[in-house]
Amino acid sequence: MPTLLLLLIACVGESGDTKATPTRVSVDDACTEVDPGDPDASEAALEAIYRANCYRNLLGLDLGALDAKLNDAAQAHADYMQQNKTLDHSEQSGKPGFTGAQVWDRAEAAGRPLRAGESIGEVISQGTSPSEAVDGWVNSVYHRNPFTSPEWIAAGFGQAGNYSSMTTLQAFPNSFEEAVLYPVNGQIDVPASFNSDQEYPDPAPNSGLVGPPITVTIASSDYRGGWNWFNAQLISASLTGPDGEEALITLLPDDDEWLGTMIALLPERPLTPGATYTAEISVTWAGGEADLSSTFTIAE
């Protein structure tokens, strides 16, 4: 069954160690089991945070840890979706399992309200295991954003039947300036394609099956408001492979309310299995600028 995906983000403003990415490394190669944060977490929540940390370790970002109260909030929402057979961020008062209209309401009801200097995000899916749900989110466009966000504070995960819900807290604004490129330099086994019709909202409504998303996620202490939180601007971008330069669909936060802190590029066609590609991207934002490069190999 296709995975259906949605995303909500909210924030409350106020005026780590990294790991080097080795050459030719897959997501599986980067997996590591560390203290998950909540000793009473469910097996599903543990599976989800370990899989999320494969990606964060690959990116050289601080690893995530589960928060017991966010686990409760995410589990409550998964239960609500299962009981009402609906894939939706919103809950309706009076329906079975209602705990809060939106993710921030449910976190507060579970005892973890959103605080100044934080943003909260939620991703949901249907029809997958916890690790498959994480893979689906990261290999999409809008739902990748929480996993490539440089500063995580805490996370929670819940699953009921075939419904999954994951909540993440990030620093907002961030305490440093950084641009995070994914896929990373040296990454192998990158999916050859992405079906945009399986993500909601659909990032490429006129295209359907395209190449794997290439994204830059910005962290900054200079919040500018509006859709483009940190005034991220794309200066130039190219993707070159065995057939020369690939045509790209460009998604920018000035034009897309769902991107927030991210610039996304979609190859107009699926990429060639086993082939190697190089992405060259230059970006600026309110607090900095970066010239980024990644050479990655598509899965056979």
Side-chain angles (χ1 to χ4, degrees):
M1 178 184 296
T3 301
L4 301 177
L5 307 168
L6 300 167
L7 173 65
L8 284 179
I9 294 178
C11 52
V12 176
E14 65 176 6
S15 37
D17 294 337
T18 61
K19 302 174 179 63
T21 301
T23 57
R24 294 193 59 78
V25 62
S26 70
V27 175
D28 290 342
D29 293 331
C31 292
T32 179
E33 290 192 6
V34 297
D35 182 358
D38 177 9
D40 299 319
S42 68
E43 289 298 318
L46 291 174
E47 181 181 335
I49 197 65
Y50 288 144
R51 190 59 180 171
N53 279 337
C54 298
Y55 290 98
R56 294 190 66 79
N57 196 33
L58 180 69
L59 286 158
L61 300 176
D62 290 341
L63 302 183
L66 296 169
D67 177 274
K69 293 175 180 178
L70 292 182
N71 279 338
D72 290 343
Q75 184 61 54
H77 189 52
D79 291 339
Y80 173 91
M81 292 190 292
Q82 168 69 7
Q83 290 177 61
N84 294 284
K85 298 298 185 289
T86 182
L87 185 73
D88 198 340
H89 286 292
S90 300
E91 293 186 6
Q92 296 184 27
S93 179
K95 286 195 171 184
F98 174 84
T99 56
Q102 303 295 342
V103 59
W104 46 88
D105 301 315
R106 297 187 287 272
E108 183 169 5
R112 183 54 173 90
L114 186 63
R115 301 165 185 161
E118 297 178 344
S119 67
I120 189 168
E122 178 183 80
V123 285
I124 58 178
S125 69
Q126 181 181 11
T128 57
S129 70
S131 58
E132 289 170 338
V134 172
D135 288 343
W137 292 323
V138 175
N139 290 318
S140 66
V141 177
Y142 303 120
H143 299 77
R144 176 181 294 177
N145 198 318
F147 300 93
T148 56
S149 176
E151 247 181 316
W152 268 22
I153 296 169
F157 183 86
Q159 187 172 53
N162 64 354
Y163 291 90
S164 297
S165 175
M166 191 165 192
T167 301
T168 58
L169 283 177
Q170 294 88 231
F172 171 80
N174 301 85
S175 60
F176 51 85
E177 308 297 323
E178 187 172 354
V180 177
L181 176 61
Y182 188 88
V184 305
N185 190 37
Q187 186 170 341
I188 62 174
D189 295 335
V190 175
S193 63
F194 164 61
N195 188 344
S196 73
D197 294 340
Q198 290 184 356
E199 182 170 22
Y200 182 83
D202 185 343
N206 298 320
S207 298
L209 194 66
V210 294
I214 301 164
T215 58
V216 178
T217 307
I218 303 298
S220 176
S221 59
D222 194 348
Y223 174 60
R224 296 300 179 93
W227 292 354
N228 192 348
W229 291 12
F230 304 131
N231 193 30
Q233 302 295 323
L234 178 66
I235 305 305
S236 63
S238 66
L239 178 67
T240 305
D243 298 322
E245 190 165 332
E246 295 287 334
L248 298 171
I249 300 167
T250 302
L251 304 177
L252 301 174
D254 276 334
D255 307 317
D256 191 327
E257 64 179 305
W258 299 102
L259 288 172
T261 64
M262 193 166 70
I263 291 170
L265 304 166
L266 298 176
E268 289 187 355
R269 62 177 186 174
L271 300 184
T272 302
T276 297
Y277 292 82
T278 297
E280 301 278 355
I281 303 172
S282 294
V283 296
T284 64
W285 63 96
E289 60 184 44
D291 296 319
L292 306 168
S293 178
S294 175
T295 297
F296 56 89
T297 302
I298 303 302
E300 295 282 358

